[in-house]
Amino acid sequence: MKIFLIGPMGSGKSTIGKVLSERLEYDFYDTDKLVEKVVGKKIKEIFEQNGEQYFRLKESEELDKTRKLKNAVIATGGGIIENEKNRLFLKEEKKVIFLDSSIERQYDRTKESQKRPLLNNGDSMKILKELYQKRLSFYQEVSKLKISMDNLTEGKIFEKILDFLD
Ligand code: S3P
């Protein structure tokens, strides 16, 4: 089984994904890390030197490569659903979980981050809000389960995920 975690930056996809993969004894992948590895640069450098479009191309290629994986938890970058091909791919998957989060929580969890170049061009609260408005319907469209992360303990989050996977 393959489990995809989608949702905005700072919603907890990597944190939850890692723990989930350990519990299930699955492999853990993160599309941002896969892109960094294949390009040989950090996300920040890719955006600066190659541009966002190039990053999106590589992100899409890495998502496509996950087809061949088995027993894996895959955390995806927050913008992965902007690409129609990626949405079609995810829609075909059975276990796509949308980790939803308030803008305030996204902000708190991303403010020290080096891997979110999109937030470095001005008022990051405003940018997070705009991205969320633009992307929310896509997250909803491709996911089979939505978890609102704001007031849940880690225990509750896993309970919901494991119930869904049963
Ligand atoms: C992005 C989210 C980031 C990373 C890149 C762009 C986005 O991943 O892919 O900075 O467009 O929302 P996380 O969602 O893991 O922060």
Short mmCIF file of all heavy atoms in Angstrom, two decimals, residues 7-10 13 32 43 47 55-56 59 76-79 115-118 135, ligand 1:
data_model
loop_
_atom_site.label_atom_id
_atom_site.label_comp_id
_atom_site.label_asym_id
_atom_site.label_seq_id
_atom_site.Cartn_x
_atom_site.Cartn_y
_atom_site.Cartn_z
N GLY A 7 -1.15 18.66 1.47
CA GLY A 7 -1.61 19.76 2.31
C GLY A 7 -0.60 20.89 2.31
O GLY A 7 0.49 20.76 1.75
N PRO A 8 -0.98 22.02 2.91
CA PRO A 8 -0.12 23.20 2.85
C PRO A 8 1.21 23.04 3.59
O PRO A 8 1.37 22.13 4.40
CB PRO A 8 -0.97 24.30 3.50
CG PRO A 8 -2.06 23.61 4.22
CD PRO A 8 -2.26 22.27 3.60
N MET A 9 2.11 23.94 3.30
CA MET A 9 3.40 23.99 4.01
C MET A 9 3.14 24.08 5.49
O MET A 9 2.27 24.84 5.92
CB MET A 9 4.17 25.27 3.61
CG MET A 9 4.59 25.31 2.18
SD MET A 9 5.49 26.85 1.83
CE MET A 9 4.37 27.68 0.72
N GLY A 10 3.89 23.34 6.26
CA GLY A 10 3.76 23.44 7.71
C GLY A 10 2.54 22.75 8.28
O GLY A 10 2.20 22.96 9.44
N LYS A 13 3.08 17.25 7.20
CA LYS A 13 3.17 16.07 6.32
C LYS A 13 4.44 15.25 6.58
O LYS A 13 4.37 14.03 6.68
CB LYS A 13 3.16 16.52 4.85
CG LYS A 13 1.85 17.14 4.40
CD LYS A 13 2.02 17.89 3.10
CE LYS A 13 2.92 19.08 3.31
NZ LYS A 13 3.08 20.01 2.22
N ASP A 32 10.05 16.65 -1.76
CA ASP A 32 11.07 17.72 -1.73
C ASP A 32 12.48 17.15 -1.65
O ASP A 32 13.39 17.60 -2.32
CB ASP A 32 10.84 18.64 -0.51
CG ASP A 32 9.63 19.56 -0.69
OD1 ASP A 32 9.28 19.85 -1.84
OD2 ASP A 32 9.05 19.97 0.33
N ILE A 43 16.30 23.00 -2.05
CA ILE A 43 15.09 23.63 -2.62
C ILE A 43 15.32 25.13 -2.88
O ILE A 43 15.00 25.66 -3.94
CB ILE A 43 13.89 23.48 -1.65
CG1 ILE A 43 13.56 22.00 -1.40
CG2 ILE A 43 12.67 24.25 -2.15
CD1 ILE A 43 12.79 21.33 -2.47
N PHE A 47 15.08 27.03 -6.54
CA PHE A 47 14.20 28.18 -6.85
C PHE A 47 15.03 29.38 -7.32
O PHE A 47 14.66 30.05 -8.29
CB PHE A 47 13.37 28.57 -5.62
CG PHE A 47 12.05 27.84 -5.53
CD1 PHE A 47 12.00 26.49 -5.20
CD2 PHE A 47 10.85 28.50 -5.76
CE1 PHE A 47 10.78 25.81 -5.10
CE2 PHE A 47 9.62 27.83 -5.67
CZ PHE A 47 9.59 26.49 -5.34
N PHE A 55 11.57 23.58 -10.75
CA PHE A 55 11.27 22.80 -9.54
C PHE A 55 9.99 21.99 -9.74
O PHE A 55 9.92 20.80 -9.42
CB PHE A 55 11.14 23.72 -8.32
CG PHE A 55 10.60 23.00 -7.10
CD1 PHE A 55 11.40 22.17 -6.35
CD2 PHE A 55 9.26 23.13 -6.75
CE1 PHE A 55 10.89 21.48 -5.26
CE2 PHE A 55 8.73 22.45 -5.66
CZ PHE A 55 9.55 21.62 -4.91
N ARG A 56 8.96 22.64 -10.30
CA ARG A 56 7.66 21.96 -10.50
C ARG A 56 7.78 20.77 -11.45
O ARG A 56 7.13 19.75 -11.27
CB ARG A 56 6.62 22.94 -11.05
CG ARG A 56 6.27 24.08 -10.10
CD ARG A 56 5.61 23.59 -8.83
NE ARG A 56 5.45 24.65 -7.85
CZ ARG A 56 5.31 24.45 -6.55
NH1 ARG A 56 5.32 23.22 -6.05
NH2 ARG A 56 5.17 25.45 -5.72
N GLU A 59 9.48 18.05 -9.52
CA GLU A 59 8.55 17.56 -8.50
C GLU A 59 7.56 16.57 -9.14
O GLU A 59 7.27 15.50 -8.60
CB GLU A 59 7.81 18.77 -7.92
CG GLU A 59 6.82 18.45 -6.82
CD GLU A 59 6.16 19.71 -6.26
OE1 GLU A 59 5.64 20.54 -7.04
OE2 GLU A 59 6.17 19.87 -5.03
N THR A 76 4.27 15.01 0.31
CA THR A 76 4.44 15.79 -0.92
C THR A 76 4.59 17.27 -0.59
O THR A 76 4.17 17.72 0.48
CB THR A 76 3.21 15.59 -1.83
OG1 THR A 76 2.04 16.03 -1.12
CG2 THR A 76 3.04 14.15 -2.24
N GLY A 77 5.14 18.02 -1.52
CA GLY A 77 5.26 19.47 -1.33
C GLY A 77 3.88 20.12 -1.46
O GLY A 77 3.02 19.64 -2.21
N GLY A 78 3.69 21.21 -0.74
CA GLY A 78 2.38 21.87 -0.67
C GLY A 78 1.80 22.31 -2.01
O GLY A 78 0.59 22.45 -2.16
N GLY A 79 2.69 22.50 -3.01
CA GLY A 79 2.21 23.01 -4.29
C GLY A 79 2.00 21.92 -5.33
O GLY A 79 1.66 22.21 -6.48
N LYS A 115 13.42 26.13 3.61
CA LYS A 115 13.05 25.39 2.39
C LYS A 115 11.73 25.85 1.78
O LYS A 115 11.10 25.14 1.02
CB LYS A 115 13.04 23.87 2.64
CG LYS A 115 12.14 23.41 3.76
CD LYS A 115 11.73 21.95 3.62
CE LYS A 115 10.47 21.84 2.81
NZ LYS A 115 9.76 20.56 2.96
N ARG A 116 11.30 27.07 2.16
CA ARG A 116 10.06 27.60 1.59
C ARG A 116 10.32 28.94 0.92
O ARG A 116 9.87 29.99 1.41
CB ARG A 116 9.00 27.75 2.69
CG ARG A 116 8.20 26.51 2.98
CD ARG A 116 8.86 25.62 4.01
NE ARG A 116 8.03 24.47 4.34
CZ ARG A 116 8.01 23.90 5.55
NH1 ARG A 116 8.76 24.37 6.53
NH2 ARG A 116 7.26 22.85 5.76
N PRO A 117 11.04 28.93 -0.19
CA PRO A 117 11.38 30.20 -0.86
C PRO A 117 10.17 31.04 -1.23
O PRO A 117 10.28 32.27 -1.30
CB PRO A 117 12.16 29.76 -2.10
CG PRO A 117 11.98 28.30 -2.22
CD PRO A 117 11.62 27.77 -0.90
N LEU A 118 9.02 30.40 -1.44
CA LEU A 118 7.83 31.18 -1.80
C LEU A 118 7.43 32.14 -0.70
O LEU A 118 6.76 33.14 -0.94
CB LEU A 118 6.65 30.24 -2.09
CG LEU A 118 6.73 29.40 -3.35
CD1 LEU A 118 5.50 28.50 -3.46
CD2 LEU A 118 6.81 30.29 -4.59
N ARG A 135 -5.43 26.85 -3.39
CA ARG A 135 -5.19 25.40 -3.44
C ARG A 135 -6.21 24.53 -2.72
O ARG A 135 -6.25 23.32 -2.95
CB ARG A 135 -3.81 25.11 -2.85
CG ARG A 135 -2.68 25.70 -3.66
CD ARG A 135 -1.38 25.61 -2.90
NE ARG A 135 -0.23 26.01 -3.70
CZ ARG A 135 1.00 26.07 -3.24
NH1 ARG A 135 1.26 25.73 -1.98
NH2 ARG A 135 2.00 26.44 -4.02
C1 S3P B 1 5.98 24.51 -1.60
C2 S3P B 1 6.05 23.71 -0.50
C3 S3P B 1 7.31 23.14 0.00
C4 S3P B 1 8.31 22.99 -1.15
C5 S3P B 1 8.48 24.28 -1.88
C6 S3P B 1 7.15 24.80 -2.46
C7 S3P B 1 4.65 25.09 -2.00
O1 S3P B 1 7.06 21.86 0.59
O2 S3P B 1 7.87 22.00 -2.04
O3 S3P B 1 9.02 25.22 -1.01
O4 S3P B 1 4.50 25.52 -3.16
O5 S3P B 1 3.72 25.07 -1.16
P1 S3P B 1 6.31 21.66 2.03
O6 S3P B 1 4.84 21.64 1.74
O7 S3P B 1 6.83 20.35 2.50
O8 S3P B 1 6.69 22.80 2.86
#
